Amino acid sequence: MSAKIWIVLQQRDGKIQKMSWEAVRAGQALAADLGGTAEAVLLGSGMEEAGNEVGQCSLGSVHVADDESLAVYTPGRFARALEAAIATAQPDYVLFPHTYQTVDFLPGLAQSLDAALVPEAVSFETVDGSVVWQRPVLGGKMFASVRAKGPGPVLVSLQSGAFSADELEKGSAPIETLSLDFAAMSADREILRIEEAIAGEVDLSQAPVIVSVGRGVGDAEKIPIMQELADALGGELGASRPVIDSGWLPRDRQIGSSGQTVTPKLYVAAGISGAIQHLVGMKGSQVIVAINKDAGAPIFNVAHYGIVGDLHEVVPAVTAALKEASES
Amino acid sequence: MRIAVCIKQVPDIEARLRVSGDGTWIDEEDLSFVINESDGYALEEALQIAERTSGEVVVFSLGPERVREALRKALALGAARAVHLKDPAFLGGDSLSTGRALAGALAAGDFDLVLTGSQSDDVGFGSTGTVIAGELGWPHAWLVMGVELDEANKKVKVTREMEAGMNEISNLDLPAVLEIQAGLNKPRYASLKGIMQAKKKEISEPGPGDLGLAPESLGETGAKIEVLSVAFPEAGKGAQIIDGDAETAARTLVEKLQKEARIL
């Protein structure tokens, strides 16, 4: 039995979202492992150009659901459209990029299809024709291996960076129209507007050095020691989400999936445990230094250099060592 | 307004973790447990809405005996009563079977709003609230950063976080399920009076039969995925750890950044 694998891409205004290409690559790899075919699915309005772009990948076909009602994402319409399409075509696996949009509708889709749901997979292995997925648990400190049980499709969302879009196999795939009864599907929320959450006053993407502050800093009064290190390195202050939520630094300093994505020459993460939502925003940095008192913190897995210790002692010591080095 | 809040009790992951005997989870002995972070924000939001609307908050949680402590804490913070799904048939599920059980318990409550956190800090499915909404046939929104109630029109305006610093602002019809993102508000601390009052508040413990749910659709049996194992990431892949006291380690780091990484 050959497996049928679907990859549901995400787009906005016809532009394919970056993680979707990684999902396509994952689908190609899974199809190769299982001896099956990978097919893409695209939902939206005015999808001709985007469909053709996806069609330049090595895929069995590209299914396009093109309708005015899908112009703006709503979970009701997207989940119902996919439910109908999946129920008809019966793919064995359906892969999604693990975006905030996907997480918003995917559990409801799994439920209505009585399908298995594997959120946030980072890798897979095929064992005797069955697929075992790895996904982070406990804030990324550990990874769980999970497998679907029982019949029915398996819906999987893939974490950013888990697969490389650079390894995409090119080809030429036929475009097929998904004819669905769009009129029967209704939105379950009324979208009023989509707007920028923050006036982007600080553009961290251009900073050569970023000193990033995490929950481990303890309170706002300790921010100055971080600022002193940033100044000594000629860099900017960044922060992980809990620091922003606590109001210790303004939101335009936030790095991670809901903040900015940065790739500086040097990234110093102090008191940051390294939850995946933070890692996706900074792991492309050239050199990463982690300072954390928990030797098991996942930040040490992506860092190049690590110091296990209390940042309140280590950070001023690094600032002092930098001054010492520049004077000698 | 009648508001339900679903909370989860999770291990404090700052602690040193060990794999359990059967290899499928962590050893929970010696660990301390806390209310999941985003669920704490959901509870606070519910309490604030109840105060503004002369409403009531009922808190729900699924899990073993230890979860009672988390429910007591929620009662101390101001919830009126609690429902604890502790029957073994409820336990060990995925988000689908867990959501089914919680929805079963919520269905009879005549709630206007169900709030929960957006994601648990232990298994992190980020799915249970959406499944609850599906079971109840209600609209939902995940990763909610702002809640504005319009009681007269039975609507709620929500601000939902999207990627890359964008927000979606939308209206949902009530009743609805909102999955709250951490940072929405400032969770309160329990007062001594609250702690004393909590001791007298009711914690009911309905079983599957009381909720009209088939036990085989719940918990581990009703789950569509199984956990085969958990493991720490491979050692040796990560950082070069620099030893020594703070001063020594700092000097070594600066030297390595200059001479090895050549970026200073």
Side-chain angles (χ1 to χ4, degrees):
Chain A
M1 192 195 87
S2 90
K4 186 194 275 188
I5 294 140
W6 271 19
I7 305 115
V8 179
L9 289 88
Q10 183 174 323
Q11 56 80 29
R12 182 169 321 138
D13 302 328
K15 190 175 174 342
I16 306 288
Q17 181 265 353
K18 188 171 141 260
M19 280 163 69
S20 295
W21 296 118
E22 300 174 4
V24 172
R25 175 55 209 150
Q28 290 177 337
L30 184 60
D33 269 22
L34 293 174
T37 52
E39 302 172 358
V41 180
L42 198 55
L43 285 79
S45 177
M47 286 296 102
E48 196 181 330
E49 212 172 301
N52 290 337
E53 191 186 358
V54 180
Q56 290 166 30
C57 296
S58 172
L59 290 164
S61 56
V62 181
H63 306 278
V64 181
D66 199 330
D67 191 80
E68 189 68 30
S69 69
L70 299 174
V72 176
Y73 160 79
T74 58
R77 291 191 196 280
F78 272 53
R80 293 296 79 75
L82 286 166
E83 182 189 349
I86 290 168
T88 305
Q90 301 202 331
D92 302 287
Y93 298 90
V94 188
L95 310 185
F96 299 80
H98 186 77
T99 60
Y100 291 175
Q101 178 172 306
T102 295
V103 183
D104 191 52
F105 74 83
L106 189 55
L109 176 62
Q111 180 181 36
S112 57
L113 289 164
D114 199 22
L117 172 62
V118 180
E120 209 183 346
V122 293
S123 60
F124 67 82
E125 302 170 284
T126 50
V127 185
D128 302 328
S130 85
V131 184
V132 176
W133 306 89
Q134 282 78 40
R135 57 182 305 278
V137 292
L138 298 156
K141 274 189 143 181
M142 298 180 84
F143 289 83
S145 294
V146 304
R147 186 169 61 190
K149 55 179 194 179
V154 182
L155 312 186
V156 183
S157 60
L158 298 158
Q159 186 50 270
S160 171
F163 294 85
S164 171
D166 297 341
E167 292 164 19
L168 261 181
E169 285 168 23
K170 294 284 161 194
S172 176
I175 312 293
E176 288 169 17
T177 304
L178 269 177
S179 300
L180 302 168
D181 185 7
F182 296 111
M185 301 166 192
S186 58
D188 48 356
R189 70 174 69 138
E190 179 201 355
I191 308 291
L192 300 173
R193 60 185 185 276
I194 288 166
E195 63 181 21
E196 251 182 81
I198 40 161
E201 283 175 24
V202 182
D203 181 10
L204 294 176
S205 66
Q206 302 305 314
V209 176
I210 294 172
V211 175
S212 212
V213 193
R215 195 198 297 263
V217 75
D219 61 67
E221 285 160 32
K222 303 292 170 16
I223 298 289
I225 64 166
M226 307 299 300
Q227 184 68 58
E228 281 163 29
L229 177 58
D231 292 345
L233 286 164
E236 290 279 352
L237 268 189
S240 67
R241 175 160 199 130
V243 169
I244 307 294
D245 286 344
S246 302
W248 300 340
L249 277 171
R251 199 158 286 277
D252 58 6
R253 298 274 168 184
Q254 186 179 330
I255 290 162
S257 52
S258 45
Q260 304 191 46
T261 298
V262 297
T263 52
K265 209 167 60 159
L266 174 62
Y267 189 91
V268 181
I272 291 176
S273 67
I276 191 87
Q277 291 80 359
H278 185 74
L279 300 186
V280 297
M282 49 62 77
K283 67 184 175 188
S285 305
Q286 195 184 327
V287 174
I288 299 167
V289 174
I291 301 165
N292 203 296
K293 63 176 195 283
D294 177 7
I299 190 75
F300 288 118
N301 298 324
V302 300
H304 302 94
Y305 298 103
I307 297 179
V308 180
D310 183 352
L311 72 90
H312 302 103
E313 292 171 22
V314 176
V315 167
V318 176
T319 308
L322 282 164
K323 286 182 180 155
E324 206 174 279
S326 69
E327 280 158 15
S328 63
Chain B
M1 291 204 93
R2 289 182 52 75
I3 309 152
V5 182
C6 298
I7 63 170
K8 184 177 188 181
Q9 192 193 41
V10 296
D12 176 3
I13 58 166
E14 300 284 307
R16 198 177 169 83
L17 306 174
R18 283 193 314 260
V19 178
S20 64
D22 71 353
T24 64
W25 192 231
I26 49 169
D27 190 350
E28 293 195 346
E29 207 154 307
D30 305 331
L31 287 182
S32 56
F33 288 84
V34 293
I35 293 176
N36 183 57
E37 186 183 20
S38 55
D39 298 347
Y41 288 93
L43 176 60
E44 175 61 35
E45 195 66 17
L47 293 170
Q48 289 185 15
I49 294 169
E51 283 159 6
R52 282 202 302 273
T53 61
S54 312
E56 184 182 69
V57 174
V58 183
V59 62
F60 290 74
S61 192
L62 184 154
E65 188 57 38
R66 59 169 162 76
V67 167
R68 201 175 170 84
E69 186 195 331
L71 290 171
R72 276 274 172 245
K73 185 169 180 207
L75 294 173
L77 290 168
R81 59 187 181 84
V83 179
H84 184 185
L85 303 184
K86 59 180 258 193
D87 190 286
F90 290 127
L91 309 182
D94 60 3
S95 51
L96 296 166
S97 58
T98 299
R100 190 174 293 136
L102 286 164
L106 289 159
D110 193 26
F111 293 106
D112 302 297
L113 196 59
V114 173
L115 301 187
T116 187
S118 52
Q119 189 162 23
S120 66
D121 296 331
D122 56 356
V123 297
F125 287 135
S127 307
T128 309
T130 308
V131 173
I132 291 170
E135 291 285 337
L136 296 172
W138 296 1
H140 85 284
W142 185 74
L143 221 54
V144 170
M145 278 302 287
V147 179
E148 267 180 66
L149 275 172
D150 180 354
E151 263 195 290
N153 294 307
K154 298 219 100 200
K155 280 182 191 297
V156 59
K157 188 199 266 189
V158 300
T159 302
R160 201 175 77 79
E161 203 169 287
M162 301 169 79
E163 266 98 5
M166 303 296 282
N167 283 342
E168 174 197 287
I169 293 107
S170 61
N171 271 330
L172 274 65
D173 290 329
L174 295 176
V177 178
L178 306 183
E179 297 153 274
I180 303 295
Q181 165 74 303
L184 173 67
N185 47 41
K186 262 202 140 27
R188 66 193 66 189
Y189 293 98
S191 65
L192 189 59
K193 190 176 155 212
I195 293 166
M196 297 309 289
Q197 285 173 340
K199 291 179 180 162
K200 297 190 201 96
K201 290 178 179 171
E202 180 203 351
I203 301 180
S204 63
E205 298 173 349
D210 304 318
L211 306 178
L213 297 170
E216 61 273 14
S217 71
L218 305 170
E220 197 174 346
T221 325
K224 301 285 286 184
I225 58 171
E226 57 183 335
V227 178
L228 304 174
S229 62
V230 295
F232 289 99
E234 267 174 66
K237 255 187 4 188
Q240 186 186 133
I241 299 293
I242 300 167
D243 293 322
D245 60 42
E247 282 72 29
T248 316
R251 276 200 203 97
T252 313
L253 173 68
V254 171
E255 200 178 298
K256 282 182 181 287
L257 291 177
Q258 285 175 323
K259 294 181 181 153
E260 205 173 89
R262 295 168 187 271
I263 51 158
L264 290 184

